[in-house]
Amino acid sequence: AETKVPTLVTLSIANLESDKSGGNWNRLSGLATLSYALFGIKCTTNYINNDCKFQDKKQCCRGYSKSTLDIIYEPTAENVYRAYPNYCESIKDFSKLISSSARYKTAMDFVNNPEQMVRVIGQSGYASDTNWANKVIARTQIIKNDIGKVGVA
């Protein structure tokens, strides 16, 4: 609510970025389990200096071995991601990044159209996978269907 990033967008991106079981949330990635990082956001000096919640700034980032997808899409990029003390901080950081970063400014024009918002976030360079937005939108449909099954509005 604070940032206006739709919950469906947040859930769908977290589902794709942190789930390793094909959309069922049965097995979280190492990033999600070890660092509470649901969104796979690379670590930056700005994050360490301004947004990281750890007292010991050495805990703000964590490096990981490259996955097959990392090797395909980002063969020369460092594999160092933001770390958080809990999942809530991961969600807050993601929402702040999308809602306040100049890079994603145009995405905020689509808060009432989650699928288009996801497309604009993808076009703005959130992920190097050229099919990323379609993958997130597929997760959006799974989440919508799941919500319909339990009757939550």
Side-chain angles (χ1 to χ4, degrees):
E2 290 175 24
T3 64
K4 308 283 189 273
V5 175
T7 302
L8 186 58
V9 170
T10 302
L11 285 172
S12 301
I13 293 172
N15 185 271
L16 179 68
E17 293 293 331
S18 64
D19 177 56
K20 297 301 179 194
S21 66
N24 297 316
W25 292 76
N26 293 334
R27 190 167 58 104
L28 293 175
S29 68
L31 280 171
T33 55
L34 299 174
S35 299
Y36 296 102
L38 296 172
F39 302 95
I41 303 171
K42 298 283 186 168
C43 201
T44 62
T45 304
N46 183 56
Y47 170 72
I48 295 167
N49 293 335
N50 299 307
D51 296 315
C52 180
K53 302 299 182 196
F54 290 109
Q55 289 281 52
D56 178 359
K57 297 302 180 186
K58 291 177 186 172
Q59 294 180 312
C60 296
C61 308
R62 187 175 290 203
Y64 292 87
S65 299
K66 287 190 179 238
S67 70
T68 303
L69 291 177
D70 294 326
I71 293 167
I72 292 169
Y73 293 113
E74 298 182 309
T76 60
E78 279 193 63
N79 227 33
V80 179
Y81 296 90
R82 296 177 183 191
Y84 304 94
N86 57 57
Y87 291 121
C88 287
E89 291 302 326
S90 177
I91 293 166
K92 286 180 189 177
D93 184 52
F94 168 79
S95 296
K96 179 182 176 190
L97 176 73
I98 298 302
S99 66
S100 65
S101 170
R103 181 180 203 167
Y104 305 109
K105 183 178 174 29
T106 57
M108 294 304 294
D109 293 339
F110 299 98
V111 295
N112 293 317
N113 184 342
E115 290 182 8
Q116 185 59 28
M117 184 179 213
V118 166
R119 289 188 198 291
V120 174
I121 291 169
Q123 292 163 355
S124 300
Y126 186 87
S128 53
D129 178 352
T130 55
N131 200 33
W132 178 86
N134 291 329
K135 291 176 183 178
V136 173
I137 291 167
R139 301 293 176 108
T140 301
Q141 295 307 314
I142 292 168
I143 292 167
K144 282 181 180 179
N145 290 341
D146 287 346
I147 290 170
K149 288 176 188 173
V150 295
V152 176

